[in-house]
Amino acid sequence: MAQTIRKAVFPAAGLGTRFLPATKASPKEMLPLVDKPLIQYSIEEAVSAGCDSILIITGRDKSAIENHFDISFELEQLLKEKGKNDLFEQVRAISDIAKISYTRQKQALGLGHAIYQAKDFAGGDPFAALLADDIVDAEKPALTQMIDVFERYDAPVIATMQVEGEAISRFGVIDADEVEPGVFKIKDMIEKPAFEDAPSDLAIIGRYIFTPDIFDAIERTAPGAGGEIQITDAMRLLLKERPFYAVKLDGVRHDAGDKLGFLIATVQYALKRDDLGDAFRAYLRSLEL
Ligand code: G1P
């Protein structure tokens, strides 16, 4: 059986241009869905899938992420003094979530280049990479669904979902054969094709399980779409040398890095909350739309 996945990488150096002006001085990964920053959702997903070692690839102006996962001494002290034990436990649990380290991507040269910064961290082990913008609301965590396939096929796995119409050209797209329900063996992939050139309606979602040979493939990858070193292009090179699989996620994916996607995700997550759902639902019903 394949080695289990204990390491997870979170590229978080992007400039968040799709969400300006909110992201002018604050990391987009810290935008809150209801009351929790986006990156905390995906780190919790990785931890629940068995990862205990985390690397966040940061950049300039991203120190709020490090502070969020650190101990906040003054806040904890204050909450204890005021007897707010639930909040204290909640805040403390965030800093205990996993072993987190940080490295900086000094130049925004693309997702492939960001993931390359994890070479030392991976140190010869397979690892997961998660994009915090992609929030997957699923009963069985998206990464767990993927690790099941990784362990059975002993090969890298990416997440996919069907995207109708022209919107497909905003994604990496795969050409693949379904080998069992919801599991695909990839034949080819292309980053952000024109609608007419998309080989299928299967889009790549921001969840990946890589084997260490991805780093050598990234080294051999020339800049692609947008002049950036694309992870899709690196995977495409590697695909010539080894099998690659995709899992159609069972769940709902939200693009929380996009303004409309973020609003939709906020409504969905708020409606699910025990403490807010009923009141929020009543408010939405009262709107004359
Ligand atoms: C990245 C990947 C793309 C993938 C997408 C999923 O693109 O390059 O292949 O489909 O994430 O969210 P980005 O959205 O960062 O431009």
Side-chain angles (χ1 to χ4, degrees):
M1 198 172 92
Q3 196 179 342
T4 47
I5 304 294
R6 305 286 299 275
K7 297 178 178 176
V9 173
F10 292 78
L15 297 175
T17 43
R18 290 190 298 157
F19 224 111
L20 282 167
T23 46
K24 187 181 171 202
S26 315
K28 70 168 171 182
E29 294 77 14
M30 292 301 293
L31 289 168
L33 264 195
V34 187
D35 55 6
K36 200 157 70 174
L38 294 179
I39 193 163
Q40 193 181 333
Y41 285 90
S42 40
I43 288 186
E44 286 174 356
E45 179 187 323
V47 169
S48 73
C51 297
D52 53 11
S53 198
I54 286 179
L55 177 71
I56 304 181
I57 319 273
T58 65
R60 216 175 263 280
D61 295 326
K62 297 280 184 169
S63 53
I65 300 176
E66 294 178 46
N67 294 339
H68 184 72
F69 292 103
D70 196 358
I71 286 180
S72 174
F73 181 76
E74 285 169 30
L75 176 63
E76 290 190 1
Q77 203 60 23
L78 193 82
L79 292 172
K80 266 199 274 188
E81 274 166 28
K82 300 212 171 214
K84 299 194 175 198
N85 285 326
D86 286 0
L87 280 178
F88 169 78
E89 300 289 343
Q90 216 181 320
V91 163
R92 171 51 68 93
I94 299 170
S95 56
D96 285 341
I97 196 166
K99 196 167 83 218
I100 305 185
S101 40
Y102 300 86
T103 192
R104 272 198 181 199
Q105 181 189 12
K106 294 178 192 137
Q107 286 173 287
L109 297 180
L111 183 56
H113 179 258
I115 289 173
Y116 190 75
Q117 312 306 310
K119 190 176 178 187
D120 289 346
F121 169 79
D125 293 326
F127 63 100
L130 295 89
L131 306 186
D133 289 7
D134 280 337
I135 294 283
V136 186
D137 189 3
E139 211 160 297
K140 182 171 179 182
L143 191 60
T144 308
Q145 297 178 34
M146 297 169 68
I147 289 176
D148 286 354
V149 173
F150 171 76
E151 288 177 347
R152 282 193 287 125
Y153 287 85
D154 198 6
V157 177
I158 61 178
T160 186
M161 69 167 193
Q162 264 165 318
V163 169
E164 308 294 336
E166 307 246 341
I168 193 74
S169 59
R170 295 205 291 265
F171 295 85
V173 183
I174 60 171
D175 183 15
D177 292 326
E178 195 161 18
V179 290
E180 61 174 286
V183 180
F184 298 80
K185 187 162 191 283
I186 302 176
K187 292 190 288 190
D188 201 0
M189 58 178 96
I190 173 167
E191 180 67 10
K192 304 200 172 78
F195 174 58
E196 315 76 66
D197 300 333
S200 76
D201 59 357
L202 292 172
I204 300 173
I205 299 309
R207 298 283 183 280
Y208 308 82
I209 295 176
F210 292 119
T211 43
D213 45 6
I214 192 66
F215 296 112
D216 174 61
I218 297 171
E219 278 172 24
R220 291 185 278 130
T221 301
E228 297 187 338
I229 298 182
Q230 299 291 347
I231 196 63
T232 306
D233 294 342
M235 293 192 290
R236 188 165 195 245
L237 280 182
L238 202 49
L239 191 57
K240 298 197 178 107
E241 296 154 24
R242 60 138 63 243
F244 239 97
Y245 290 85
V247 178
K248 198 163 160 193
L249 292 180
D250 191 4
V252 179
R253 174 257 185 190
H254 298 287
D255 180 3
D258 166 74
K259 289 175 189 176
L260 182 60
F262 178 83
L263 289 169
I264 293 169
T266 300
V267 170
Q268 293 296 340
Y269 275 73
L271 286 172
K272 287 202 306 179
R273 285 276 292 250
D274 290 341
D275 55 344
L276 297 166
D278 288 348
F280 189 50
R281 186 171 290 103
Y283 168 70
L284 292 179
R285 285 215 172 98
S286 78
L287 294 175
E288 284 174 25
L289 298 174

